[in-house]
Amino acid sequence: MNPVLLGLIAGVLGLAVGVSGVLAYVSSRRQRQELAANDDPAIPNGAAEVLAAIGRAYIVVDAVDGVVRASPGAYALGLVRGHTLVPPELLAMTSRVRRDGVIEERQLELQRGPLGQGSTILQVRVATVGEEYILILADDHTEIARTEEVRNDFVANVSHELKTPVGAISLLSEALDDAAGDEEAVRRFAARMSKESARLTSLVQDIIELSRLQSTDMVDRAREVDLNQLVAEAVEANRLPAENRKTTVVVGGSVDGAVYGDAKMLTTAFRNLIDNAIRYSPEGSRVGIGLRSRDGMAQVSVTDQGPGINPEDQERIFERFYRIDSARSRHTGGTGLGLSIVKHVVSNHGGEVNLWSQPGQGSTFTVRLPEMESAEPSAEKQQQSDAAGARARKATPPAGGGTREQGVSA
């Protein structure tokens, strides 16, 4: 055969093979694109944009509960792992909705994480979308549920705490009426009634104070305040309780910069801290108050010589109505709200309150608040501070080696 003809035939065959390969590649690519398009959830147009804008975690699952779409929030809440819907409660809900075609909405409490440390409260709504898909919407209500629980506990505790002194006053009034002819018994019952009445008054005042703190806008009432003066006023307010328990209140140091805040709220917080230290210190002991400025923060520490606090109780000491020893609290007259008020006030001022305590070694509560300025005091302020210290030393005789004392009773 003619070599030229053979070459021509071979060229035609090669061209045919090449064209066939290109056509096969184009056909394969088109099939892959069609398969990929078929894998996308057949949800109505615009639904994806709406889901992204509603601000709730969402999940779209197919006919076998495989996850085909999920928001980042769904992964963050631990509802989805890979392409799997994790919580069995959600799987049960999707199964019912798929079977009945009826929208279902429930509140679920789910374990947080695979180890079950803590829980998450979710408001979940499950509905069909398109022809074969199920949509799950989840809203995190954990904080809402926690707040509601705290509110309910607070109401229950208030009711219990109010019932105790009110019941005592009622019984004592009956006993007082029955003992009208016994002068000694009348005096004894009257003294008990006076004590219970004072306890009731203190509890009501603390409840009102806590309610006022929660509803007060600190920004409207905040001013430049001098913590040295506020602490001195808090010490003076506790002078009588300190004298009754023969407790010496010792104040040392000073704060250089001013603090931006509500003077009345801060004075209440320091008064409660000092009152707490006096109540739980043995009679005839000493309560120390230290003031200092460090790294732009004003620091006030209140140290007592009380029995100390166990580590397991220290985490709860700032909870409302929490008492380490209820019998001792009744004896000292504490309401269980003082430290809660302290923490609330300090938090409102952008500060923090910390506790150091060991059983048998007393406790130290330290309040740290941001100062308005961290510069050293001017010469004029330093002279005023020295003059104030001299007046305090002159007004109150030094004790314990010349340490300055206020609210003193020895």
Side-chain angles (χ1 to χ4, degrees), residues 154 206 209-210 213-214 268-269 272-273 276 316-323 335-348 353 365:
F154 179 70
D206 280 351
E209 183 69 23
L210 189 58
L213 292 176
Q214 291 177 329
T268 298
N272 285 349
L273 275 182
N276 188 74
R316 302 190 59 191
I317 198 66
F318 294 100
E319 293 181 11
R320 299 167 184 172
F321 294 111
Y322 182 76
R323 292 187 177 96
T335 64
L337 287 174
L339 292 179
S340 297
I341 293 174
V342 171
K343 185 173 183 180
H344 198 93
V345 170
V346 174
S347 297
N348 279 357
V353 55
F365 290 86

Side-chain angles (χ1 to χ4, degrees), residues 29 40 92 179 187 235 307 341:
R29 184 177 179 181
D40 199 45
R187 285 197 299 266
V235 170
I341 293 174

Side-chain angles (χ1 to χ4, degrees), residues 16-167:
V17 171
V19 171
S20 299
V22 171
L23 292 175
Y25 171 76
V26 171
S27 176
S28 174
R29 184 177 179 181
R30 183 181 297 111
Q31 289 177 355
R32 288 197 301 270
Q33 290 175 345
E34 291 176 354
L35 289 174
N38 291 334
D39 286 340
D40 199 45
I43 59 178
N45 293 333
E49 290 76 7
V50 173
L51 290 175
I54 61 175
R56 300 174 69 181
Y58 70 86
I59 308 165
V60 178
V61 297
D62 58 21
V64 291
D65 288 331
V67 176
V68 292
R69 282 195 182 184
S71 67
Y75 287 95
L77 291 172
L79 305 180
V80 178
R81 190 176 302 121
H83 293 283
T84 304
L85 187 63
V86 178
E89 297 89 343
L90 286 183
L91 290 171
M93 291 181 69
T94 59
S95 177
R96 290 192 297 268
V97 171
R98 184 180 294 109
R99 181 191 64 213
D100 303 332
V102 178
I103 297 175
E104 186 171 343
E105 186 167 3
R106 292 180 56 192
Q107 180 169 285
L108 302 178
E109 182 174 357
L110 306 177
Q111 290 183 340
R112 188 187 296 273
L115 300 179
Q117 298 297 320
S119 61
T120 303
I121 309 297
L122 298 179
Q123 189 69 27
V124 178
R125 184 179 178 89
V126 181
T128 57
V129 58
E131 298 179 355
E132 56 177 316
Y133 295 99
I134 300 292
L135 172 65
I136 303 169
L137 296 175
D139 200 9
D140 190 354
H141 282 197
T142 305
E143 187 63 24
I144 296 174
R146 189 194 68 81
T147 302
E148 182 69 16
E149 182 179 358
V150 169
R151 187 186 67 83
N152 292 337
D153 288 345
F154 179 70
V155 172
N157 287 331
V158 166
S159 302
H160 175 74
E161 295 294 335
L162 288 174
K163 182 174 65 176
T164 302
V166 168

Side-chain angles (χ1 to χ4, degrees), residues 226-242 249 251 263-276 278 289 291 300 302 406-407:
D226 181 3
L227 283 190
N228 302 291
Q229 179 181 352
L230 298 188
V231 170
E233 293 175 359
V235 170
E236 181 62 27
N238 284 284
R239 178 181 290 273
L240 184 58
V249 180
V251 181
K264 186 174 181 179
M265 290 171 61
L266 289 171
T267 303
T268 298
F270 293 129
R271 187 180 70 241
N272 285 349
L273 275 182
I274 298 170
D275 175 74
N276 188 74
I278 293 172
I289 304 173
L291 298 91
V300 180
V302 179
Q406 298 181 17

Side-chain angles (χ1 to χ4, degrees), residues 150-287:
V150 169
R151 187 186 67 83
N152 292 337
D153 288 345
F154 179 70
V155 172
N157 287 331
V158 166
S159 302
H160 175 74
E161 295 294 335
L162 288 174
K163 182 174 65 176
T164 302
V166 168
I169 291 174
S170 176
L171 292 174
L172 286 169
S173 64
E174 293 179 5
L176 189 63
D177 184 58
D178 294 339
D182 188 341
E183 185 176 345
E184 182 179 352
V186 168
R187 285 197 299 266
R188 185 171 68 253
F189 290 142
R192 287 287 306 278
M193 285 185 66
S194 177
K195 183 177 180 180
E196 292 296 334
S197 177
R199 179 185 175 191
L200 179 60
T201 300
S202 178
L203 177 58
V204 171
Q205 287 177 342
D206 280 351
I207 293 172
I208 294 173
E209 183 69 23
L210 189 58
S211 177
R212 185 182 70 84
L213 292 176
Q214 291 177 329
S215 61
T216 297
D217 188 354
M218 202 266 297
V219 175
D220 293 338
R221 303 183 50 167
R223 300 290 185 274
E224 181 179 340
V225 296
D226 181 3
L227 283 190
N228 302 291
Q229 179 181 352
L230 298 188
V231 170
E233 293 175 359
V235 170
E236 181 62 27
N238 284 284
R239 178 181 290 273
L240 184 58
E243 290 178 349
N244 292 337
R245 294 185 59 82
K246 300 180 175 60
T247 299
T248 302
V249 180
V250 183
V251 181
S254 63
V255 172
D256 299 333
V259 170
Y260 187 75
D262 186 325
K264 186 174 181 179
M265 290 171 61
L266 289 171
T267 303
T268 298
F270 293 129
R271 187 180 70 241
N272 285 349
L273 275 182
I274 298 170
D275 175 74
N276 188 74
I278 293 172
R279 288 177 185 272
Y280 288 94
S281 291
E283 290 193 12
S285 62
R286 176 174 295 190
V287 171

